[in-house]
Amino acid sequence: LYFTSGISSGIIDIDGNCLVSAYMQDICLKFHRAGCQAKFLCRQSDMCLANYIREGFDNIGPEPYIWYTCPNGLINIAAPVIINGEYLATILLGQLLFEEPDIDKFRKQANKYGFDEEEYIAALKKVPIYTKEKVESFIHLFLQLANLVALMGVTQLRLIESQRKVLRESESLLSKSQKVARIGSFVMDLKTKIWRGSPELYNIAGIDKTYPHTAKGWNKIIHPDYRRKISDYFFNVEAEQLSYDCIYKIIRVNDGEQRWVHGLGDFEFDDQGNPIRLIATVQDITKRRIAEEEVIYLSYHDKLTGLYNRRFYEEEVKRLDTERNLPISIIIGDVNGLKLVNDAFGHAKGDELLQKAAVAIQSACRADDIVARWGGDEFVILLPKTKSEEAERIINRIKQQYANQQVNSLSISISFGWATKNKIDEDIQKVLKRAEDHMYKHKTVENESVRSNIISTIIKTLHEKNSREEQHSERVSEICQSIGKAMGFSEIEVSKLKVVGLLHDIGKIAIEEGILNKPGKLTEQEYNEIKRHPEIGYRILTTSYDMLELANYVLAHHERWDGTGYPKGIKGEAIPRIARIIALADSYDAMTSERPYRNSLSVEEAIKEIIKNSGIQFDPEIVRIFLEDVLCIEKEYFFNFTEYGNLIEKRNLQ
């Protein structure tokens, strides 16, 4: 427009600020807008014009522009830029005249503002002179172009804003994703060694934006054990233009917590192949690393005791079975009474027994010895460069370590065996077998004594837990002896009755005390728990060779004559006779003793219950002997007891 017409143009915002101008006339550029007073008038004029247009489009008139003469004497045209009904800016055209200027007037103006008169008049003569009609043809064209450009600009701005919104949403999603995945990111300028990081990186490293974003600052975050490794690795991958991929430890700045991280990144290089930037991510893999380390640890360690496991031992045997490690000794240890402890006190106590045994073994061994859990209750110790005498001394040290250790008042006992390989051509597996055989010989001798002690401890513990059970067992034992004598048992058989009477409820050691002492009626689940005690007692007693026979009597003492008892549901004479005697003695004492859930019955009431259940729950012959020979009951003592006599006779015949 300027080159074809000489007309200047510009755009002012809605506050009157000139945003852009093109080819302003020298009289305005060098004089009017350069001098203080004249410039003030120009600025005031622009603001008034912007306010005038902003107040309402109706001010503009039928044409989309207005003419005005600026305070300094030149004619201008102003038009609003309106997009979608919104006033955005004002277009200014002009710095022109409609006729030859009054030179004298402008000379006076030059003097007024202190301009150089001749230069000012020379600049005035450059101002174009057009008719109003001519200028209008220019203004229409310019407005069309200006509005088109403005529309494009608004569209572009909206597109940019939309893109910014998408970008912000993407950044938010990326930030949330990084937080979920525990992945931070950073960019490092390799020339300045300055880096920028994402919020999640700050969270992982325990820093904020005030932390020094330098290579030295980052190096402080890296765990001291890894600083040299990372530095060397970084140098190598940078020199060979490889991707950055490493796992290392950091120490969080804010709390000193150690974390495992996985760094991944790529280098950017300039045209000469020099690295200029590293773009990388840092993922917190602490949980994964701990899980991996646990898997690796458990693949070679026993979870319960923390000792090495059998797999590790077998690999170490292959590695250490060399001539330079001769002599090689092997110790096998077997914890005595583990099954008894599990049955009597639960597996938690059995685990405690194994753990204490493991601590004693480990603490007595040397740093280079391989101590492993071989099986359920067995431990193996591999001793390179160790003679048989030294292996025996180690066993004695182990025994000293656990001498005062107890689990539920039970002393720890371990049977040991050992053997030594002195020649390279000996099979190490045969050495292990010799150690195992040696251990079993010791176990045979030690076991019975250990088991008897454990059973005694179990009985003592049960009675301490429930004194009522101790008194009950003693009374049942006495009743059993009386019945046995009345039945003509030998002294040995009566002795068995005495012992089994004392032991019949030993299985209750494994029953929860709250169930044993419950004052109200038992639930079905609680009753089923109580019904386990004959089997538990059987398992406890079968661990001792001396008590194998008694164990069968304990197992059957809740069987019933009619076959509806437990645990096997056997009936009649298939039930061991001693178990039938215990069943009657146990029930009679239970009925005539106080219980948490009921008062005791009188002797008469108890006898009636026994008579009622003779031939159903109890062996009728044992009932008869108990009533007539132990309790010395005369038939006439009851009612007139014809009914009793008939009942007894009838069931005896059956």
Side-chain angles (χ1 to χ4, degrees), residues 131-179:
T131 63
K132 187 175 181 180
E133 291 75 19
K134 184 70 173 177
V135 175
E136 285 180 336
S137 64
F138 289 127
I139 191 78
H140 282 289
L141 174 61
F142 189 84
L143 276 174
Q144 290 178 11
L145 291 173
N147 279 280
L148 177 60
V149 171
L151 180 60
M152 291 173 63
V154 170
T155 303
Q156 184 67 20
L157 285 172
R158 288 176 178 168
L159 178 61
I160 291 171
E161 181 56 33
S162 176
Q163 291 173 336
R164 285 177 177 169
K165 182 179 179 182
V166 172
L167 181 60
R168 285 194 297 270
E169 290 175 351
S170 299
E171 288 175 345
S172 175
L173 181 60
L174 176 62
S175 178
K176 290 177 181 177
S177 300
Q178 285 192 346
K179 188 173 183 179

Side-chain angles (χ1 to χ4, degrees), residues 160-397:
I160 291 171
E161 181 56 33
S162 176
Q163 291 173 336
R164 285 177 177 169
K165 182 179 179 182
V166 172
L167 181 60
R168 285 194 297 270
E169 290 175 351
S170 299
E171 288 175 345
S172 175
L173 181 60
L174 176 62
S175 178
K176 290 177 181 177
S177 300
Q178 285 192 346
K179 188 173 183 179
V180 170
R182 303 290 287 133
I183 296 176
S185 57
F186 70 91
V187 178
M188 177 177 283
D189 187 318
L190 298 178
K191 292 182 179 179
T192 64
K193 302 299 183 182
I194 302 297
W195 52 270
R196 293 178 292 107
S198 68
E200 188 56 26
L201 179 73
Y202 295 157
N203 185 38
I204 292 171
I207 59 175
D208 56 27
K209 292 182 179 180
T210 64
Y211 185 79
H213 287 45
T214 61
K216 187 176 180 181
W218 182 255
N219 196 50
K220 285 185 178 179
I221 296 171
I222 299 173
H223 192 284
D225 293 347
Y226 287 84
R227 286 173 188 166
R228 182 62 183 271
K229 297 176 185 177
I230 295 299
S231 177
D232 293 344
Y233 174 77
F234 190 88
F235 177 80
N236 290 332
V237 296
E238 181 182 352
E240 303 206 13
Q241 299 189 7
L242 301 173
S243 291
Y244 178 77
D245 185 347
C246 61
I247 292 175
Y248 56 97
K249 257 184 177 180
I250 65 169
I251 300 179
R252 282 167 51 89
V253 174
N254 60 350
D255 56 17
E257 184 181 345
Q258 295 186 17
R259 296 280 182 91
W260 281 100
V261 296
H262 184 192
L264 289 171
D266 280 317
F267 293 93
E268 288 186 357
F269 300 88
D270 61 18
D271 295 339
Q272 287 74 43
N274 299 313
I276 57 174
R277 192 162 65 155
L278 171 66
I279 302 173
T281 60
V282 175
Q283 183 177 19
D284 186 340
I285 59 167
T286 304
K287 289 184 179 179
R288 189 184 81 194
R289 187 75 175 191
I290 291 172
E292 289 172 352
E293 288 178 346
E294 185 175 357
V295 169
I296 294 171
Y297 178 86
L298 291 177
S299 67
Y300 289 108
H301 288 79
D302 173 56
K303 186 175 182 179
L304 176 65
T305 63
L307 299 178
Y308 290 120
N309 58 20
R310 186 167 184 160
R311 174 186 175 186
F312 182 83
Y313 164 82
E314 289 173 347
E315 291 185 9
E316 286 298 283
V317 164
K318 296 174 185 176
R319 184 179 69 85
L320 296 173
D321 189 15
T322 60
E323 190 168 6
R324 66 185 179 85
N325 286 317
L326 293 176
I328 301 173
S329 292
I330 297 176
I331 298 174
I332 292 283
D334 189 295
V335 178
N336 294 315
L338 177 64
K339 185 177 183 301
L340 260 175
V341 173
N342 284 334
D343 288 339
F345 302 108
H347 285 274
K349 290 299 177 182
D351 289 347
E352 184 183 340
L353 178 64
L354 288 171
Q355 288 167 339
K356 288 187 174 182
V359 169
I361 293 170
Q362 183 77 73
S363 59
C365 290
R366 303 162 301 186
D368 293 335
D369 298 337
I370 306 299
V371 183
R373 186 179 177 193
W374 182 251
D377 53 5
E378 290 184 335
F379 298 89
V380 61
I381 309 170
L382 183 63
L383 308 165
K385 300 178 182 178
T386 304
K387 295 179 181 180
S388 179
E389 295 81 3
E390 179 60 24
E392 189 172 2
R393 283 195 290 270
I394 290 173
I395 290 171
N396 290 332
R397 287 204 300 269

Side-chain angles (χ1 to χ4, degrees), residues 32 86 426 485 546:
H32 296 160
E86 184 179 358
E426 284 186 89
K485 290 175 182 177
D546 291 341

Side-chain angles (χ1 to χ4, degrees), residues 20-47:
V20 65
S21 62
Y23 310 113
M24 292 182 69
Q25 297 294 335
D26 286 349
I27 194 170
C28 288
L29 186 63
K30 294 180 179 180
F31 296 97
H32 296 160
R33 291 188 179 270
C36 292
Q37 189 174 357
K39 182 179 180 180
F40 173 76
L41 292 173
C42 289
R43 169 71 175 159
Q44 191 176 41
S45 174
D46 292 343
M47 290 180 64

